[in-house]
């Protein structure tokens, strides 16, 4: 399928590895030029080289996207993009009994206010041009809370509420916002959570109807479709990619 977005420009944050990189690769395969970001410069440049080999232009901005100066630098490089894919690292696991006010504020800054700031900066240009696509990488924890990831449950649900309202306000201008909710995907993050414990990994996979983790490539393919010309009627949705792990009718 031709996604119809060849020659457009996209910003993908937190994109040197994992799901963000999967989205950047799928957009590159659709002919989209990219601005990508991550904290570690070496991995970011290696990813940029791999993306350029797919035939698109790539600009890199290294730094922590959850901080104001880095966001400003990223936004300067990404001025005028047609597509925004927001992503950042997830909050650490823990318990409500010990989290402090600062822990909550850090999670809100990273996983709620950062994507909101990026959307706020880039959507006016999309609206002025009459076309735009925003995909936020959130988490299955929005639909079914994960006890140890309470900081993620909280901050991402706040972002979800923001998107529910604003997506309906920008849709008349040709801009769509949707959220992609990963279940367990085979990235560095889930490998770190599994640790060096094959039995934990095997048990987690056995509990998923698809009997495996998702891949960054299939996650990226869904992201690219949501950014395509074919997805203009998909507005304000929360699309769960979890191999059937959430046992729910709707
Ligand atoms: P990953 O494999 O660890 O990759 C994270 C990417 O984001 C890396 O490129 C990393 O590079 C970059 N990054 C992290 N924090 C950043 C920051 N503050 N500023 C800029 N770049 C940053 O993680 P992933 O599995 O792809 O997860 C992506 C998101 O999906 C996370 O929010 C995660 O919580 C969520 N999620 C993942 C899963 C899953 O199963 N994988 C499930 C549910 C939710 P640097 O470290 O160099 O910055």
């Amino acid at each position: 399928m031709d996604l119809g977005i060849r020659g457009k420009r996209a910003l993908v944050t937190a994109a040197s590895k994992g799901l963000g990189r999967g989205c950047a690769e799928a957009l590159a395969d659709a002919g989209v030029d990219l601005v990508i970001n991550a904290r570690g410069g070496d991995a970011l440049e290696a990813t940029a080289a791999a993306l350029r080999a797919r035939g698109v232009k790539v600009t890199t901005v290294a730094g922590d996207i959850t901080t104001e100066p880095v966001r400003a630098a990223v936004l300067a490089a990404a001025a005028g993009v047609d597509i925004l894919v927001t992503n950042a690292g997830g909050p650490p696991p823990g318990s409500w009994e010990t989290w402090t006010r600062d822990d909550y504020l850090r999670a809100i800054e990273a996983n709620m206010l950062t994507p909101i700031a990026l959307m706020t900066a880039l959507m006016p240009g999309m609206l002025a041009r009459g076309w735009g696509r925003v995909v936020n990488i959130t988490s299955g924890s929005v639909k079914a809370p994960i006890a140890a990831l309470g900081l993620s449950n909280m901050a991402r649900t706040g972002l979800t509420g923001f998107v529910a309202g604003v997506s309906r306000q920008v849709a008349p201008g040709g801009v769509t916002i949707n959220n992609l909710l990963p279940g367990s995907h085979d990235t560095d993050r889930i490998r770190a959570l599994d640790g060096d414990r094959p039995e934990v990994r095997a048990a987690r996979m056995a509990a998923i109807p698809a009997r495996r983790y998702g891949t960054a490539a299939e996650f990226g393919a869904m992201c690219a479709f949501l950014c395509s010309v074919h997805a203009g009627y998909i507005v304000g949705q929360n699309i769960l990619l979890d191999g059937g792990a959430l046992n729910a009718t709707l």
Side-chain angles (χ1 to χ4, degrees):
M1 181 189 286
D2 179 358
L3 296 185
I5 49 178
R6 184 165 299 281
K8 292 196 181 289
R9 288 179 68 230
L11 166 62
V12 186
T13 63
S16 66
K17 297 177 191 167
L19 304 179
R21 177 171 175 159
C23 294
E25 287 178 346
L27 288 170
D29 287 346
V32 175
D33 293 326
L34 292 157
V35 178
I36 60 168
N37 148 268
R39 291 166 303 184
D42 290 348
L44 184 65
E45 291 310 324
T47 297
L51 292 168
R52 287 185 192 109
R54 293 172 184 244
V56 295
K57 294 188 196 114
V58 182
T59 304
T60 57
V61 183
D64 184 340
I65 194 63
T66 70
T67 66
E68 182 52 40
V70 172
R71 269 202 299 275
V74 167
L75 286 169
V81 292
D82 311 287
I83 295 166
L84 166 64
V85 180
T86 76
N87 186 30
S95 168
W96 63 273
E97 293 154 296
T98 49
W99 284 320
T100 65
R101 179 178 166 79
D102 280 348
D103 293 325
Y104 290 113
L105 291 177
R106 262 194 299 278
I108 289 169
E109 183 67 47
N111 297 112
M112 178 181 165
L113 295 180
T114 292
I116 289 174
L118 294 168
M119 284 186 268
T120 304
L122 293 173
M123 288 197 306
M126 296 178 189
L127 289 167
R129 292 184 296 278
W131 195 93
R133 296 282 185 265
V134 178
V135 174
N136 298 296
I137 300 178
T138 67
S139 171
S141 68
V142 168
K143 284 202 187 261
I146 301 168
L149 294 177
L151 295 173
S152 171
N153 301 338
M154 169 207 62
R156 296 188 198 276
T157 304
L159 172 65
T160 305
F162 174 86
V163 167
V166 174
S167 60
R168 273 84 185 177
Q169 292 176 278
V170 298
V175 176
T176 69
I177 317 175
N178 292 287
N179 302 321
L180 270 185
L181 284 52
S184 297
H185 281 72
D186 198 4
T187 67
D188 285 359
R189 171 156 171 99
I190 203 149
R191 280 176 222 128
L193 290 172
D194 286 350
D196 193 13
R197 298 172 297 173
E199 68 288 359
V200 171
R201 191 175 169 85
R204 287 175 67 139
M205 286 188 187
I208 300 169
R211 299 287 187 267
R212 65 175 177 87
Y213 289 158
T215 68
E218 57 198 354
F219 189 90
M222 175 57 95
C223 176
F225 180 76
L226 287 176
C227 296
S228 76
V229 294
H230 310 295
Y233 208 53
I234 304 175
V235 170
Q237 298 303 299
N238 292 282
I239 298 171
L240 185 61
L241 300 178
D242 73 344
L246 177 69
N247 189 29
T249 303
L250 290 175

